[in-house]
Amino acid sequence: MFSSIEENYLKALYNLSDEKGEVSTLSLSQSLDIKMPTVNSMMKKFLKKGLVYYQSYKPIRLTEKGKKEAALILRKHRLTEMYLVEKMGFNWEDVHEVAEQIEHIHSEKFFNKMDELLDFPKLDPHGSPIPDKQGNIEWVRFKKLNEYKIGEIVELSAIIHSSKEFLKYLNSKNFNLGIKFQIESVEEFDGSVTVLIVGQNRTEVLSNLIAEKLLVKKCLK
């Protein structure tokens, strides 16, 4: 069993891992807003527990054990977010802070029941995959909106970095998961994308920054 502080470290390590599975001590320190010596001390503790591969001045990597434990924390967080939206009527921008508190409950039975009541969802309200009881994640590979070509029709499937402010922005545009866009044009100068909202007969101009955060899948016409 881990403390809430240890669980926050594990989750941050998982979320910050790059394509090589590595995390710099600096990025971990900045993400958690914790001083570097404190981070180094915790990594030494994690090393003894078999959760990380760690050497001073080198990137940190989670071991298989560390990945599983981190995924199980993510499972609790994402199940909670889904429960808050589906069963309690929360808006998708209001669930993160509550889930941050509930994820530290140490009761597998509690979260398994939540999973059952939700009919075993694969994705959370923001389109992120929910790990199973063994910590396995079924990844779905989506592409960013700005990676598609003019004329293609895509469906919004997930959100990158779903901050409260960004989700409120999407609400203001009436964008939610499942909405379909047709790419109308792409501005060469700044990469902004003009999309037609399928079925609504309206267009929106999205900055490159926004288009980078919207994960979509291609739809058949």
Side-chain angles (χ1 to χ4, degrees):
M1 187 178 296
F2 301 100
S3 70
S4 59
I5 293 173
E6 290 174 324
E7 289 187 335
N8 288 338
Y9 270 96
L10 283 167
K11 191 172 64 170
L13 282 166
Y14 195 98
N15 288 330
L16 291 169
S17 295
D18 60 18
E19 291 182 0
K20 295 181 181 179
E22 296 179 342
V23 180
S24 72
T25 307
L26 176 60
S27 64
L28 183 59
S29 171
Q30 291 173 337
S31 174
L32 294 170
D33 193 23
I34 295 174
K35 293 181 179 179
M36 292 274 283
T38 305
V39 170
N40 287 327
S41 177
M42 181 63 79
M43 290 307 99
K44 290 175 183 178
K45 185 177 180 181
F46 276 13
L47 178 64
K48 290 179 180 179
K49 290 186 175 184
L51 299 170
V52 297
Y53 299 106
Y54 170 73
Q55 290 181 304
S56 297
Y57 309 110
K58 290 188 177 182
I60 307 159
R61 288 189 297 120
L62 285 166
T63 62
E64 289 304 312
K65 177 183 177 182
K67 289 177 185 176
K68 178 180 179 179
E69 296 295 347
L72 290 175
I73 297 161
L74 282 177
R75 168 180 167 79
K76 294 190 291 182
H77 184 97
R78 292 174 179 174
L79 276 174
T80 299
E81 288 193 332
M82 198 64 177
Y83 191 88
L84 290 170
V85 169
E86 292 295 320
K87 299 297 184 180
M88 300 186 70
F90 277 67
N91 294 326
W92 65 347
E93 73 271 18
D94 294 326
V95 296
H96 179 73
E97 290 83 359
V98 181
E100 285 280 290
Q101 300 173 56
I102 294 176
E103 71 184 31
H104 298 303
I105 293 174
H106 297 294
S107 172
E108 185 179 354
K109 185 177 181 179
F110 176 83
F111 291 100
N112 287 345
K113 187 63 177 180
M114 189 182 288
D115 195 15
E116 179 186 339
L117 291 172
L118 289 167
D119 197 24
F120 310 103
K122 297 292 186 181
L123 303 172
D124 76 3
H126 312 112
S128 298
I130 299 174
D132 65 17
K133 290 186 287 188
Q134 286 73 44
N136 300 311
I137 296 183
E138 187 177 322
W139 290 102
V140 181
R141 299 299 177 185
F142 300 122
K143 293 170 68 174
K144 297 174 183 177
L145 177 64
N146 56 6
E147 294 180 308
Y148 282 91
K149 298 177 182 178
I150 294 171
E152 292 186 303
I153 298 175
V154 297
E155 180 180 320
L156 180 58
S157 302
I159 310 296
I160 295 178
H161 305 308
S162 51
S163 69
K164 191 167 188 174
E165 294 74 22
F166 182 49
L167 293 172
K168 284 184 175 180
Y169 167 82
L170 296 181
N171 288 344
S172 73
K173 300 292 184 183
N174 291 318
F175 288 176
N176 45 45
L177 298 188
I179 195 170
K180 295 180 181 179
F181 307 125
Q182 181 167 340
I183 314 297
E184 295 285 281
S185 64
V186 179
E187 178 58 53
E188 285 188 26
F189 174 68
D190 62 3
S192 58
V193 181
T194 300
V195 297
L196 171 70
I197 314 303
V198 176
Q200 297 184 27
N201 196 31
R202 66 181 173 99
T203 59
E204 291 284 353
V205 179
L206 306 176
S207 70
N208 188 54
L209 177 64
I210 298 300
E212 280 271 327
K213 294 176 179 289
L214 301 180
L215 296 179
V216 298
K217 62 181 179 182
K218 189 174 181 180
C219 298
L220 297 176
K221 293 186 178 181

